[in-house]
Amino acid sequence: MFIVLRLKHNNQAFGFLGGKEVGAAGVTNLGLRDQIFALEWTQKYISAFGGDPARVVMYLVPSFLHAFSNNFISSGGVSAGAISSNLLLLSNKQNSNSLFRGAFMESGSILKLPHAVDRQSDYDGLVAANNCSASSDTLACLQQVPFESLMATVDNTADLFSYRSLSLTWQPYIDGDVIVQDPYISTSQGLYAKVPIMSGNCDDEGTVFSFSNQNITTDAEFLDYVNSNYLPASTQEQITQIGHLYPEDPTQGSPFNTGTANQLTPEYKRLAAFQGDLIFLAPRRFFLEHTAATQDAWSWLYKRGKDTQYGASHASDLAIWFPANTSNDTIAVDAMINFINTLDPNRPAKNSTVKSSIFWPKWNIPSPAGSSSLLTFNDDRINITADNFRVEPREFLNNLLLGEAIREHE
């Protein structure tokens, strides 16, 4: 059974309000708790609809993506939905990772997350904006604010397309319950569901999130932004190394492999490369390096659309999973249908006529180039390539994030 869950008010205060008051009330990470509740409901009632609770594949839909395409209503497991799926795969006190038998994650993986107490200033800001500061119970006061008024103050906080970009105001956080410890630590310790997964990225994940940073135009401003906005605990030596790994050279920036084209500002392609790797491509590789050793895992890379300033941008691969015209180029669709039915993108269900025209190796099986395998979608072909691009910067970021998580945990 394939269950699609649509996430309402994704990445907003309604689902991810932090702070000590929220922790004391036991209402942390409500966005994830809602998803767990939906999965539990499915387990309990899906048989009444002819489904099998033992055959649920998780694929979560973030509602904000409807702004980009009319086709998103039938899609999911992408972006914040993929991140949610990955977080629910991790071991926690809610046993969320026992509620499904497989997961599909598109443009989203684990993240290094803050602790609940780290979100106190955001909570206090929302309290002040809604005139609740003088209340003896500020959380109860917030709960009494009319929806439209509360939403107006939430909308005034930094979002994905603000200067803070992917350093979100409202995001999941470590609460000791739904997220018991940093996802990098849980992953490194093997504390995740041992179920088959599919996880992939677009090549230029960071481009659409770098348009709001156009006032960053120098090397010094780039390094300061990386340090202050994303990696405040990093040393100056580490930040300097990031500057070397993500140079000002536009030919090495994102959209990748486009030479000097698409250089919107002197630092645009550099920012896009760094932000895409930090939040999307490096975490995917880290998660696969561990899960591919313990269970079946497949991965892909979407590289189409390099002729625009966005390139193969975040979530642009939805067109291959949910094409408007299914008369051709259905390799991705066939693979997804097979995975839902058999937990293997290459193996169709019994009596099914869905047969892929290309064999998709698991991620840890060497590609023809001798490295981990990716099913890669180029403009002119679909083939198996190696997951051997930008290995040094991605490994540096993963080691940096894991190290910081461990230090914070100690």
Side-chain angles (χ1 to χ4, degrees):
M1 177 62 65
F2 184 51
I3 302 299
V4 176
L5 304 179
R6 182 182 176 193
L7 318 183
K8 296 297 288 182
H9 304 302
N10 186 56
N11 287 339
Q12 291 183 354
F14 298 98
F16 299 108
L17 184 64
K20 63 180 184 296
E21 294 86 352
V22 174
V27 289
T28 55
N29 283 314
L30 288 179
L32 293 175
R33 292 181 191 273
D34 280 350
Q35 296 160 30
I36 293 171
F37 175 81
L39 288 166
E40 291 173 338
W41 185 94
T42 300
Q43 288 292 315
K44 186 174 182 179
Y45 294 110
I46 197 62
S47 58
F49 299 91
D52 184 348
R55 293 175 58 81
V56 174
V57 173
M58 182 169 56
Y59 199 51
L60 304 178
V61 182
S63 61
F64 77 87
L65 287 175
H66 288 259
F68 296 111
S69 169
N70 292 330
N71 296 326
F72 274 70
I73 193 167
S74 62
S75 69
V78 58
S79 189
I83 292 170
S84 292
S85 297
N86 213 144
L87 294 177
L88 296 182
L89 276 164
L90 303 177
S91 301
N92 57 43
K93 294 181 180 180
Q94 298 298 317
N95 298 314
S96 65
N97 61 13
S98 65
L99 300 173
F100 45 84
R101 70 167 191 157
F104 186 103
M105 296 166 288
E106 180 185 347
S107 290
S109 187
I110 60 169
L111 294 173
K112 181 185 179 299
L113 296 178
H115 291 260
V117 294
D118 298 330
R119 316 315 298 178
Q120 191 65 46
S121 62
D122 298 321
Y123 175 89
D124 293 341
L126 201 61
V127 166
N130 287 279
N131 302 312
C132 288
S133 299
S135 173
S136 59
D137 188 337
T138 55
L139 183 58
C141 180
L142 283 179
Q143 292 170 335
Q144 297 303 313
V145 176
F147 173 81
E148 292 78 10
S149 299
L150 182 61
M151 193 65 202
T153 59
V154 171
D155 286 343
N156 283 331
T157 58
D159 61 17
L160 281 168
F161 303 107
S162 70
Y163 180 75
R164 283 178 57 167
S165 190
L166 291 160
S167 178
L168 299 175
T169 302
W170 313 113
Q171 62 174 310
Y173 49 83
I174 301 165
D175 61 359
D177 185 15
V178 181
I179 303 177
V180 296
Q181 60 183 351
D182 191 88
Y184 267 83
I185 296 177
S186 291
T187 300
S188 68
Q189 295 175 343
L191 300 176
Y192 48 79
K194 306 304 188 292
V195 299
I197 63 169
M198 293 179 68
S199 178
N201 284 115
C202 298
D203 199 26
D204 303 304
E205 295 280 4
T207 52
V208 295
F209 305 111
S210 301
F211 276 74
S212 57
N213 310 135
Q214 294 183 41
N215 57 337
I216 299 174
T217 59
T218 68
D219 176 67
E221 290 171 347
F222 169 81
L223 295 177
D224 179 69
Y225 182 74
V226 168
N227 192 185
S228 61
N229 196 58
Y230 289 114
L231 301 169
S234 296
T235 66
Q236 190 58 53
E237 181 181 4
Q238 290 168 330
I239 298 300
T240 299
Q241 179 62 11
I242 288 174
H244 292 315
L245 294 171
Y246 293 91
E248 287 187 287
D249 181 359
T251 65
Q252 297 187 48
S254 179
F256 295 106
N257 305 116
T258 58
T260 58
N262 307 310
Q263 192 178 3
L264 186 64
T265 71
E267 301 293 319
Y268 166 70
K269 294 184 73 173
R270 187 185 194 187
L271 277 165
F274 168 74
Q275 294 187 134
D277 278 358
L278 178 74
I279 304 299
F280 298 103
L281 285 111
R284 173 194 62 85
R285 183 178 178 90
F286 185 87
F287 195 69
L288 285 169
E289 285 173 345
H290 291 81
T291 54
T294 57
Q295 61 224 69
D296 293 341
W298 291 266
S299 190
W300 72 90
L301 184 67
Y302 184 78
K303 301 182 71 170
R304 295 176 178 174
K306 293 288 188 172
D307 55 346
T308 71
Q309 287 182 330
Y310 295 100
S313 60
H314 180 66
S316 61
D317 60 340
L318 277 166
I320 65 171
W321 303 108
F322 301 92
N325 183 346
T326 58
S327 61
N328 52 41
D329 196 7
T330 64
I331 288 176
V333 177
D334 294 345
M336 177 187 286
I337 291 173
N338 289 341
F339 182 77
I340 292 167
N341 284 305
T342 68
L343 300 180
D344 184 338
N346 301 294
R347 182 163 60 92
K350 186 178 181 180
N351 301 323
S352 172
T353 59
V354 177
K355 296 181 179 179
S356 178
S357 59
I358 187 171
F359 180 78
W360 186 345
K362 297 173 188 175
W363 183 80
N364 61 341
I365 293 178
S367 71
S371 182
S372 300
S373 294
L374 294 170
L375 182 62
T376 303
F377 297 84
N378 289 289
D379 286 324
D380 58 345
R381 66 192 183 282
I382 302 173
N383 62 341
I384 305 301
T385 66
D387 194 353
N388 61 358
F389 54 92
R390 300 193 305 284
V391 171
E392 183 181 2
R394 287 190 295 166
E395 287 187 348
F396 179 84
L397 291 176
N398 283 331
N399 289 333
L400 178 64
L401 295 173
L402 177 60
E404 290 189 359
I406 292 172
R407 286 192 296 274
E408 293 169 2
H409 183 71
E410 293 174 343

Coordinates of all heavy atoms in Angstrom, one line a residue, residues 1-31:
M1 N 0.8 -1.2 0.0 CA 0.0 0.0 0.0 C 0.9 1.2 0.0 O 1.8 1.3 0.8 CB -0.9 0.0 1.2 CG -1.8 1.2 1.4 SD -2.9 1.5 0.0 CE -4.0 0.0 0.2
F2 N 0.6 2.2 -0.9 CA 1.4 3.4 -1.0 C 0.6 4.6 -0.4 O -0.5 4.9 -0.9 CB 1.6 3.7 -2.5 CG 2.5 4.9 -2.8 CD1 3.7 5.0 -2.1 CD2 2.1 5.8 -3.7 CE1 4.5 6.1 -2.4 CE2 2.9 6.9 -4.0 CZ 4.1 7.1 -3.3
I3 N 1.1 5.1 0.7 CA 0.3 6.2 1.4 C 1.0 7.5 1.2 O 2.2 7.7 1.3 CB 0.4 5.9 2.9 CG1 -0.2 4.5 3.2 CG2 -0.4 7.0 3.7 CD1 -1.7 4.4 2.8
V4 N 0.2 8.5 0.7 CA 0.7 9.9 0.5 C 0.1 10.7 1.6 O -1.1 10.8 1.8 CB 0.2 10.4 -0.8 CG1 0.7 11.9 -1.0 CG2 0.8 9.6 -2.0
L5 N 1.0 11.4 2.4 CA 0.6 12.3 3.5 C 1.0 13.7 3.1 O 2.2 14.0 2.8 CB 1.3 11.9 4.8 CG 1.1 10.5 5.3 CD1 1.9 10.2 6.6 CD2 -0.3 10.2 5.5
R6 N 0.1 14.6 3.1 CA 0.3 16.0 2.8 C 0.6 16.8 4.1 O -0.2 16.7 5.0 CB -0.8 16.6 2.0 CG -0.6 18.0 1.6 CD -1.8 18.6 0.9 NE -1.5 20.0 0.6 CZ -2.5 20.9 0.2 NH1 -3.7 20.4 0.1 NH2 -2.2 22.1 -0.1
L7 N 1.7 17.5 4.2 CA 2.1 18.2 5.4 C 1.5 19.6 5.3 O 1.9 20.4 4.5 CB 3.6 18.3 5.5 CG 4.4 17.0 5.1 CD1 5.9 17.3 5.3 CD2 4.0 15.9 5.9
K8 N 0.7 19.9 6.3 CA 0.1 21.2 6.3 C 1.0 22.2 7.1 O 1.6 21.8 8.1 CB -1.3 21.2 7.0 CG -2.3 20.4 6.2 CD -2.6 21.0 4.8 CE -3.4 22.3 5.0 NZ -3.7 22.9 3.7
H9 N 1.1 23.4 6.7 CA 1.9 24.5 7.4 C 3.3 24.0 7.6 O 3.9 24.1 8.7 CB 1.2 24.9 8.7 CG -0.2 25.3 8.5 ND1 -0.5 26.4 7.7 CD2 -1.3 24.9 9.0 CE1 -1.8 26.6 7.8 NE2 -2.3 25.7 8.5
N10 N 3.9 23.4 6.5 CA 5.2 22.8 6.6 C 6.3 23.9 7.0 O 6.2 25.0 6.5 CB 5.5 22.2 5.3 CG 6.8 21.4 5.3 OD1 7.0 20.6 6.2 ND2 7.7 21.8 4.5
N11 N 7.2 23.5 7.8 CA 8.3 24.4 8.2 C 7.8 25.7 8.8 O 8.4 26.8 8.6 CB 9.2 24.7 7.0 CG 10.1 23.5 6.6 OD1 10.3 22.6 7.4 ND2 10.5 23.5 5.4
Q12 N 6.7 25.7 9.6 CA 6.2 26.9 10.2 C 6.1 26.6 11.7 O 6.2 25.5 12.2 CB 4.9 27.3 9.6 CG 5.0 27.8 8.1 CD 3.7 28.3 7.6 OE1 2.7 28.1 8.2 NE2 3.8 28.8 6.4
A13 N 5.7 27.7 12.4 CA 5.6 27.6 13.8 C 4.6 26.6 14.3 O 4.6 26.1 15.4 CB 5.3 29.0 14.4
F14 N 3.5 26.4 13.5 CA 2.5 25.5 13.9 C 3.0 24.1 14.1 O 2.5 23.3 14.9 CB 1.4 25.4 12.8 CG 0.7 26.7 12.6 CD1 1.1 27.6 11.6 CD2 -0.3 27.2 13.5 CE1 0.5 28.8 11.4 CE2 -0.9 28.4 13.3 CZ -0.5 29.2 12.3
G15 N 4.0 23.7 13.3 CA 4.6 22.3 13.4 C 5.9 22.2 14.2 O 6.2 21.2 14.7
F16 N 6.6 23.4 14.3 CA 8.0 23.3 14.8 C 8.3 24.5 15.7 O 9.4 25.0 15.7 CB 9.0 23.1 13.7 CG 8.8 21.9 12.9 CD1 8.2 21.9 11.6 CD2 9.0 20.6 13.4 CE1 8.0 20.8 10.9 CE2 8.8 19.5 12.7 CZ 8.3 19.5 11.4
L17 N 7.4 24.8 16.6 CA 7.7 25.8 17.6 C 8.5 25.2 18.7 O 8.2 24.2 19.3 CB 6.3 26.4 18.2 CG 6.4 27.5 19.2 CD1 7.0 28.8 18.5 CD2 5.0 27.8 19.7
G18 N 9.6 25.9 19.0 CA 10.5 25.3 20.0 C 10.5 26.2 21.3 O 9.5 27.0 21.5
G19 N 11.5 26.0 22.2 CA 11.5 26.8 23.4 C 11.2 25.9 24.6 O 10.5 24.9 24.5
K20 N 11.6 26.4 25.8 CA 11.4 25.6 27.0 C 9.9 25.4 27.4 O 9.5 24.4 27.9 CB 12.1 26.2 28.2 CG 11.7 27.6 28.6 CD 12.5 28.2 29.7 CE 12.0 29.5 30.2 NZ 12.2 30.6 29.2
E21 N 9.1 26.4 27.0 CA 7.6 26.3 27.3 C 7.0 25.2 26.5 O 6.1 24.5 27.0 CB 6.9 27.7 27.0 CG 7.4 28.8 27.9 CD 8.6 29.5 27.5 OE1 9.3 29.0 26.5 OE2 9.0 30.5 28.0
V22 N 7.4 25.1 25.3 CA 6.8 24.0 24.4 C 7.3 22.7 24.9 O 6.5 21.7 25.0 CB 7.3 24.2 23.0 CG1 6.9 23.1 22.1 CG2 6.7 25.5 22.4
G23 N 8.6 22.6 25.4 CA 9.1 21.3 25.9 C 8.3 20.9 27.2 O 8.0 19.7 27.4
A24 N 8.1 21.9 28.1 CA 7.4 21.6 29.3 C 6.0 21.1 29.1 O 5.5 20.3 29.8 CB 7.4 22.8 30.2
A25 N 5.4 21.6 28.0 CA 4.0 21.2 27.7 C 3.9 19.9 26.9 O 2.8 19.3 26.7 CB 3.3 22.3 26.9
G26 N 5.1 19.3 26.5 CA 5.1 18.1 25.8 C 4.5 18.1 24.4 O 4.0 17.2 23.9
V27 N 4.7 19.3 23.8 CA 4.1 19.5 22.4 C 5.2 19.9 21.4 O 5.0 20.7 20.5 CB 3.0 20.5 22.4 CG1 1.8 20.0 23.1 CG2 3.5 21.9 23.0
T28 N 6.4 19.2 21.5 CA 7.5 19.5 20.6 C 7.3 18.8 19.3 O 6.6 17.8 19.2 CB 8.8 19.0 21.3 OG1 8.6 17.6 21.6 CG2 9.2 19.7 22.5
N29 N 7.9 19.4 18.3 CA 7.9 18.7 16.9 C 6.5 18.2 16.5 O 6.4 17.1 16.0 CB 8.9 17.6 16.9 CG 10.3 18.1 16.8 OD1 10.7 18.9 16.0 ND2 11.2 17.5 17.6
L30 N 5.5 19.1 16.6 CA 4.2 18.7 16.3 C 4.0 18.3 14.8 O 3.2 17.4 14.5 CB 3.2 19.8 16.7 CG 2.9 20.0 18.2 CD1 1.9 21.2 18.3 CD2 2.4 18.8 18.8
G31 N 4.8 18.9 14.0 CA 4.7 18.5 12.6 C 5.1 17.0 12.4 O 4.4 16.3 11.6

